[in-house]
Amino acid sequence: MQIRDLPYTDPGEPDVRSGPRFLYWLGRNQLGGQLKALGWGLLQQCGIAGLPLTVGFAVQAAVDRSGNRLALAAGLNVLLGVAIALGEMMLHRTAVTNWITAAARVQQLLARKTAELGSVLTRRVAAGEVVAVSTGDVEKIGWFVEALSRFAAAAAALVIICVGLLIYAPVLGVVVAIGAPVLALAVLPLLPRATKRADIQREKAGRATELASDTVAGLRVLRGIGGEELFLGRYREASQEVRRAAVRSARMWSLISAVQVLLPGLLLITVVLYGAHLALAGRISVGELVTVYSAVTLMMFPLQHFEEIAMAYSFSRPSAKRAARVLALQRVTDPAGTDTGSSGPSAAVPSGDLYDPATGLLAPEGRFTAVVCGDPDAAGRLADRLGGHPAESAGESSVLLGGVALDGLALESARTAVLVQDKDPVLLSGTLRELLDVPSSGQVEAADALAAAQCGDVLEALAQASVDPGQDPMATRITERGRSLSGGQRQRLALARSLVTDPEVLVLDEPTSAVDSHTEARVADGIKRLRAGRTTVVFTSSPLLLDLAERIVFVHEGEVASVGVHRELVRTDARYRAVVTRETDEEESKAMVRKTAQAMEKVEESA
């Protein structure tokens, strides 16, 4: 896989049983790139390992005053230099490719999971954790994949050096062969503590990220109540905890680095002292002593990769665990335990009445149904259920569309059948034309959807904000999340996007909560007119929308309590009237007293 071939056509189905298993799956899918990096790494490392031999050969040639052997040594050094340069260049190229392609694979998996779960994702996983996984964790996982091939090449080179020294100078080679494994494994006792401190640091960093994300999202509200300094103080305290944890983690890693410098230094001193004694005794030549000394010196280079792979694994393991936890979330699992929400062949999109067995809610085909819930959170969960997302508690039946369970449909078919717009829709950055360029039936034009959502003032605002006064408002760029627009303008643009899609069933959760009453009435009329003959479900408590609905379903404590039209339910259902009119218990009691008094007066008059 090359960078130019990204993104992957299919990133595959990951092994998410644990963090290490996910890393193993990722490495197995990068096997081709790993083998390429290993080959180039061996060329580089073997070139480095060969330098001591040619240097020792040259020194011995100088001692023996042999010009031919000295020239041969020089030529070998040139060849080794070319091999090292070529190996280093190509190793870096392939290793970085492995890093980027591995990170891209994880990013694609996360994006696919986000699209599959939709708004349910942030209810199961904190938003800060999702941000941490998709940014910092992806980078750490890619680092481990990239470091793995260089470590394998370094380990192979270390073995080659030890075997070569045993053959070339057995007396000193034994010392090196015994000392090299000790050097490589010396840091293992320190790794658990270093990993634990690193985990604590990442946990605190994740909490700080989540706090920062929540603070930024609610900054406007915080300014309104004067709570900026309070939350900034909390974030300041959280960031200081992260700093202290990072310092503690760095101290342990600095100790590991010191061990990796100290022990090779001790081995080098031992080899020099013992080798000098052997050379004075005539048991080895000066060239052999120089060769062994150079080999031990160069061993420090591949040994550095042992420290790097230990750091990469300790940092990537919890990152892989978090990524696996997010990727393990399923849209739904059938009784047999197989995922029925994963991508697969698209089934025919069903049509008919929308029915929720859990609450008894029925939205007849082709009609405008309004749903009233006293609890806004319950309304949001019910809207998600109508969109085919699984129930919060196990054992509840799936929502049915035309008698077909939405949970049993492939994700693509479920999304085509039912579109849910939640109460806080997101606008992506880009032009207005790009915003409305979404998969759709093709039956609703963008202009009609904008008109139905009453976006005329939005088009005027975009035209005024354009650098070119004559520019088409549809070509004007919208900033990230539509921050340059008001809440009502963002809400109406999101509604227009949903109307353009023209799904079989459209579910809207409080689509007019951020607009004034005059605009709300026109938006309600536009929705009803544009969606005529199509199934539309609106979660609202606005009398303007409820008055236009053909059918109203009042849901109380998770069950349908009453069904009818607005004017009838206001008269006959006190609980419905309390939700819609915001009538308190005291006001309801007073009204009841007034009605009772009026009834008694009529009885007395008739008597």
Side-chain angles (χ1 to χ4, degrees):
M1 187 70 181
Q2 300 296 320
I3 296 177
R4 64 174 175 269
D5 299 324
L6 294 174
Y8 290 94
T9 305
D10 180 12
E13 290 297 328
D15 186 346
V16 294
R17 287 176 289 178
S18 66
R21 286 180 181 272
F22 178 66
L23 289 175
Y24 173 75
W25 175 86
L26 201 59
R28 189 180 62 195
N29 279 272
Q30 303 282 123
L31 188 59
Q34 293 290 345
L35 291 177
K36 287 181 182 178
L38 177 60
W40 291 116
L42 283 175
L43 177 63
Q44 177 214 25
Q45 296 285 350
C46 289
I48 294 174
L51 286 177
L53 183 63
T54 57
V55 170
F57 187 70
V59 170
Q60 192 62 44
V63 171
D64 297 340
R65 297 181 182 279
S66 173
N68 291 333
R69 284 190 292 164
L70 190 61
L72 178 60
L76 290 174
N77 267 325
V78 171
L79 289 176
L80 290 176
V82 172
I84 292 170
L86 179 62
E88 174 69 26
M89 178 182 68
M90 295 305 297
L91 172 62
H92 180 74
R93 180 187 179 95
T94 53
V96 171
T97 299
N98 289 338
W99 185 334
I100 294 175
T101 52
R105 187 186 295 273
V106 179
Q107 287 279 23
Q108 280 188 249
L109 290 171
L110 290 170
R112 186 174 71 183
K113 183 59 64 174
T114 301
E116 177 184 328
L117 295 177
S119 60
V120 175
L121 176 63
T122 52
R123 293 182 182 174
R124 299 183 181 179
V125 182
E129 184 170 353
V130 176
V131 172
V133 170
S134 60
T135 53
D137 287 338
V138 167
E139 182 179 354
K140 292 180 178 67
I141 292 171
W143 175 31
F144 173 73
V145 172
E146 180 261 346
L148 189 60
S149 54
R150 291 190 284 109
F151 163 73
L158 205 59
V159 172
I160 291 172
I161 290 175
C162 293
V163 173
L165 288 179
L166 283 172
I167 297 172
Y168 181 74
V171 179
L172 284 177
V174 171
V175 177
V176 177
I178 294 174
V182 174
L183 298 181
L185 302 177
V187 298
L188 288 182
L190 300 176
L191 285 180
R193 181 172 294 183
T195 302
K196 182 178 180 180
R197 292 189 179 185
D199 289 346
I200 294 173
Q201 176 196 347
R202 281 186 292 274
E203 182 182 350
K204 292 182 179 296
R207 285 202 295 265
T209 302
E210 184 177 349
L211 179 60
S213 176
D214 292 343
T215 302
V216 171
L219 191 58
R220 181 176 297 180
V221 177
L222 293 176
R223 285 176 176 171
I225 62 176
E228 292 175 87
E229 289 301 322
L230 174 62
F231 278 83
L232 286 176
R234 292 179 182 176
Y235 179 72
R236 190 178 297 114
E237 181 180 348
S239 64
Q240 288 302 312
E241 290 182 5
V242 175
R243 180 189 63 80
R244 288 190 290 269
V247 170
R248 282 175 51 81
S249 178
R251 286 173 181 167
M252 184 54 65
W253 287 112
S254 65
L255 177 60
I256 292 176
S257 299
V259 170
Q260 289 285 67
V261 173
L262 175 63
L263 294 184
L266 294 176
L267 177 62
L268 185 61
I269 293 172
T270 302
V271 168
V272 170
L273 292 176
Y274 185 49
H277 174 72
L278 295 176
L280 290 175
R283 297 177 61 183
I284 62 171
S285 65
V286 175
E288 289 176 331
L289 176 60
V290 172
T291 298
V292 175
Y293 169 79
S294 301
V296 175
T297 303
L298 291 175
M299 279 175 59
M300 296 183 184
F301 178 70
L303 281 172
Q304 292 176 355
H305 292 288
F306 284 77
E307 177 190 352
E308 182 188 13
I309 195 65
M311 291 183 64
Y313 180 72
S314 65
F315 277 88
S316 64
R317 183 180 57 80
S319 295
K321 182 179 179 181
R322 277 198 295 268
R325 184 166 61 246
V326 174
L327 294 175
L329 298 174
Q330 295 294 333
R331 172 171 168 251
V332 65
T333 303
D334 65 12
T338 57
D339 180 20
T340 59
S342 59
S343 58
S346 297
V349 177
S351 61
D353 296 344
L354 185 68
Y355 176 65
D356 177 24
T359 59
L361 188 153
L362 173 66
E365 181 182 10
R367 298 182 66 183
F368 183 3
T369 302
V371 180
V372 178
C373 287
D375 182 0
D377 292 334
R381 290 192 295 270
L382 181 53
D384 284 334
R385 272 185 53 78
L386 295 182
H389 291 292
E392 293 291 332
S393 58
E396 291 187 359
S397 303
S398 168
V399 171
L400 306 177
L401 178 60
V404 178
L406 287 179
D407 284 356
L409 292 177
L411 181 63
E412 181 181 351
S413 299
R415 291 289 182 270
T416 304
V418 183
L419 172 65
V420 178
Q421 176 182 305
D422 61 27
K423 59 172 62 71
D424 187 23
V426 175
L427 302 182
L428 302 180
S429 59
T431 65
L432 181 56
R433 183 174 288 109
E434 292 171 342
L435 175 70
L436 300 178
D437 184 17
V438 293
S440 64
S441 67
Q443 301 300 314
V444 178
E445 297 294 332
D448 295 333
L450 290 169
Q454 300 299 312
C455 294
D457 63 320
V458 183
L459 296 178
E460 294 177 3
L462 292 175
Q464 293 175 0
S466 174
V467 178
D468 183 5
Q471 184 178 2
D472 182 5
M474 297 292 289
T476 304
R477 293 195 65 81
I478 299 174
T479 57
E480 179 192 6
R481 299 178 68 91
R483 296 188 188 280
S484 59
L485 303 173
S486 68
Q489 290 174 329
R490 288 197 299 270
Q491 194 174 58
R492 281 176 283 154
L493 282 181
L495 174 60
R497 179 178 58 188
S498 299
L499 293 174
V500 165
T501 304
D502 189 35
E504 185 71 25
V505 178
L506 177 61
V507 179
L508 303 172
D509 188 5
E510 296 288 354
T512 59
S513 59
V515 300
D516 59 80
S517 299
H518 180 64
T519 305
E520 184 179 31
R522 292 187 296 167
V523 169
D525 184 66
I527 295 174
K528 184 176 182 179
R529 175 176 46 80
L530 196 63
R531 293 286 299 173
R534 306 286 272 170
T535 308
T536 306
V537 180
V538 179
F539 285 80
T540 184
S541 58
S542 167
L544 294 173
L545 275 169
L546 296 173
D547 199 39
L548 289 176
E550 300 173 78
R551 172 186 172 92
I552 293 177
V553 179
F554 176 52
V555 178
H556 181 68
E557 295 182 353
E559 294 183 354
V560 172
S562 55
V563 179
V565 295
H566 175 60
R567 297 176 186 272
E568 174 189 347
L569 291 177
V570 166
R571 292 195 309 270
T572 60
D573 194 322
R575 292 176 300 183
Y576 174 84
R577 182 171 59 251
V579 173
V580 173
T581 64
R582 276 74 169 177
E583 186 180 69
T584 65
D585 293 339
E586 183 179 354
E587 291 171 341
E588 185 178 352
S589 300
K590 290 180 179 179
M592 187 64 68
V593 170
R594 285 197 301 269
K595 290 181 180 180
T596 303
Q598 291 172 358
M600 292 181 66
E601 289 177 359
K602 290 181 179 180
V603 170
E604 291 176 356
E605 290 176 358
S606 61

